[in-house]
């Protein structure tokens, strides 16, 4: 069986986890958390990075830090994971879904402005498959309308847009280190705070509402409860696992890109014949091979292809059911404008096995099976 995903493991994880245990500090914000935060701050040129318990809680933190009031509106794509939307529901906001572009499946930046009302406060851009949204246009709209920008860069660790790391362009960026992502800690994530104004607030929110971060830096002589907060610190055991992965980030990235490029080359003849559509990487975007997808010609064809691959022991999977048509989407939001591409394009999208360590043999088996399905 060729699985769809295998959680990344470099072999060095256990050693670092043992070090964490030996240091007798396994709660949050120990040496491994600090190493991971500092590594990302330097590598991504990020103002502040804080490891969190998940990508979802990084989004929750970002949404809470936006300081929304009941009835405030947040613009986001409908083609995304439920966590993107949940964060803003938690913060009390109304969701306003905007259509995606068919080429990248990212929010269509040209349709955002028409969705803005006098209650709009935030634009949330999700970088699908680690390929950047059109951030220059989005940042320009946000500046002109006085809106905050949250990047859901859960899939975009190690990707960039015009030389800037994803997650470092908006006011906040959110990463995920779930086992399905390029780099993992089992469950985990990180909040990137790019807007200086929110750094101290983020530290307080993350540490149960206390100024404990300041205390540890020696900036106050005792720590106290200063604001609303929650607990978003991951355990050092998880951070130690992630540390092993970050040290091999380039190796993991190159391995994934090699698989992605091989798929892309192999399926080009199918695309040239109009049998499938391949992912588009716009100019200025450097991606991280988070995902390789094909688009079939119809939902029925996709269902057939999934079945065909499964019969050959290959697990290929579709992706998001658009949020605006889901029960919670109907309850918490509305679609602004027309759903031209969100539903139609999501129906045709199929993700192929792609993970760190996918063997050349398995890659070829996937390629040959897809080609056989199309009689090529
Ligand atoms: C994975 C993912 C999340 C959630 O991350 P978790 O670490 O699983 O909580 C949020 N948004 C997107 C787009 C994701 O792909």
């Amino acid at each position: 069986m060729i699985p769809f995903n295998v959680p990344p493991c470099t072999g060095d994880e256990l050693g670092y986890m043992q070090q964490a245990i030996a240091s007798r500090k396994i709660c949050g914000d120990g040496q491994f958390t600090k190493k991971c935060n500092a590594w990302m701050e330097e590598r991504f040129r990020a103002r502040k990075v804080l490891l969190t318990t998940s990508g979802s809680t990084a989004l929750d933190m970002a949404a809470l830090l936006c300081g929304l009031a009941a009835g405030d509106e947040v613009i986001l794509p409908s083609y995304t994971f439920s966590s993107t939307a949940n964060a803003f529901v938690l913060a009390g906001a109304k969701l306003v879904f905007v259509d995606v572009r068919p080429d990248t499946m990212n929010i269509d930046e040209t349709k955002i402005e028409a969705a803005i009302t006098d209650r709009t406060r935030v634009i949330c851009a999700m970088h699908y498959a680690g390929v950047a949204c059109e951030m220059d246009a989005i940042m320009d709209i946000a500046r002109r309308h006085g809106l905050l920008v949250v990047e859901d860069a859960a899939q975009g660790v190690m990707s960039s847009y015009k030389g800037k790391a994803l997650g470092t362009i908006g006011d906040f960026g959110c990463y995920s280190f779930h086992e399905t992502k390029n780099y993992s800690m089992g469950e985990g994530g990180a909040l990137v705070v790019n807007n200086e104004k929110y750094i101290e607030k983020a530290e307080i929110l993350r540490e149960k509402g206390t100024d404990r971060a300041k205390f540890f830096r020696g900036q106050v002589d005792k720590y106290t409860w200063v604001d609303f907060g929650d607990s978003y610190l991951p355990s050092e055991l998880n951070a130690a696992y992630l540390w092993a992965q970050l040290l091999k980030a380039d190796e993991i990235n190159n391995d994934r890109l090699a698989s992605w490029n091989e798929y892309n080359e192999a399926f080009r003849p199918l695309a040239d014949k109009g049998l499938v559509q391949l992912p588009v990487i716009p100019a200025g975007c450097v991606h991280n091979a988070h995902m390789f997808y094909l688009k079939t010609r119809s939902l029925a064809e996709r269902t057939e292809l999934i079945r065909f691959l499964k019969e050959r022991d290959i697990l290929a999977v579709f992706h998001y059911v658009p949020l605006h048509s889901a029960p919670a989407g109907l309850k918490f939001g509305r679609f602004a404008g027309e759903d031209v591409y969100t539903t139609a394009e999501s129906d045709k999208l199929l993700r192929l096995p792609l993970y760190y360590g996918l063997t050349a043999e398995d890659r070829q088996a996937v390629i040959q099976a897809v080609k056989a399905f199309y009689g090529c």
Side-chain angles (χ1 to χ4, degrees), residues 100-170:
V100 291
R101 296 161 43 142
D103 58 349
T104 57
M105 300 303 280
N106 283 331
I107 191 166
D108 186 337
E109 70 282 357
T110 68
K111 294 180 180 168
I112 291 174
E113 213 147 7
I116 294 175
T117 72
D118 56 4
R119 297 308 305 266
T120 308
R121 298 287 176 267
V122 179
I123 301 171
C124 181
M126 192 275 272
H127 305 295
Y128 188 65
V131 179
C133 296
E134 197 40 69
M135 290 309 291
D136 279 352
I138 291 172
M139 295 309 291
D140 177 60
I141 294 166
R143 253 192 304 272
R144 284 189 286 105
H145 293 271
L147 310 176
L148 291 168
V149 174
V150 174
E151 293 177 75
D152 181 344
Q155 304 173 11
V157 179
M158 293 283 280
S159 293
S160 63
Y161 172 80
K162 298 187 181 173
K164 289 183 193 151
L166 298 194
T168 68
I169 304 165

Side-chain angles (χ1 to χ4, degrees), residues 49-77:
V49 177
L50 297 166
L51 276 192
T52 59
T53 47
S54 68
S56 302
T57 53
L59 284 159
D60 290 350
M61 285 185 70
L64 291 171
L65 288 164
C66 287
L68 300 167
D72 283 349
E73 294 177 355
V74 174
I75 291 174
L76 74 167

Side-chain angles (χ1 to χ4, degrees), residues 265-284:
E265 284 312 304
F267 298 132
R268 184 142 314 275
L270 300 188
D272 290 343
K273 286 186 189 137
L275 300 169
V276 298
Q277 278 178 292
L278 298 178
V280 171
I281 313 295

Side-chain angles (χ1 to χ4, degrees), residues 54-56 59 80-81 83-84 126 152 154-155 176 178 181 188 320:
S54 68
S56 302
L59 284 159
T80 184
F81 190 50
S83 295
T84 321
M126 192 275 272
D152 181 344
Q155 304 173 11
S176 169
H178 185 259
K181 300 306 198 289
Y320 308 127

Side-chain angles (χ1 to χ4, degrees), residues 57 60-68 87 90-92 198-212 224-232:
T57 53
D60 290 350
M61 285 185 70
L64 291 171
L65 288 164
C66 287
L68 300 167
L90 173 73
Y198 293 98
I199 293 176
E200 198 180 317
K201 279 187 172 146
E203 287 178 336
I204 291 166
L205 174 61
R206 182 168 168 274
E207 263 283 21
K208 299 93 180 169
T210 71
D211 54 359
R212 197 163 151 159
T224 185
W225 183 34
V226 292
D227 204 342
F228 168 77
D230 207 332
S231 180
Y232 297 112

Side-chain angles (χ1 to χ4, degrees), residues 186-262:
E187 296 276 359
L191 176 71
V192 186
V193 188
N194 303 310
N195 186 331
E196 190 78 34
K197 195 169 104 184
Y198 293 98
I199 293 176
E200 198 180 317
K201 279 187 172 146
E203 287 178 336
I204 291 166
L205 174 61
R206 182 168 168 274
E207 263 283 21
K208 299 93 180 169
T210 71
D211 54 359
R212 197 163 151 159
K214 261 185 155 172
F215 170 75
F216 281 123
R217 282 196 295 265
Q219 291 165 323
V220 286
D221 47 15
K222 59 181 195 282
Y223 72 87
T224 185
W225 183 34
V226 292
D227 204 342
F228 168 77
D230 207 332
S231 180
Y232 297 112
L233 284 68
S235 145
E236 274 291 289
L237 296 172
N238 299 69
Y241 191 102
L242 181 64
W243 180 240
Q245 312 242 313
L246 294 181
L247 289 181
K248 294 208 170 149
D250 289 300
E251 182 185 316
I252 294 172
N253 198 41
N254 291 338
D255 180 84
R256 297 186 72 107
L257 280 165
S259 288
W260 196 99
N261 289 329
E262 193 171 321

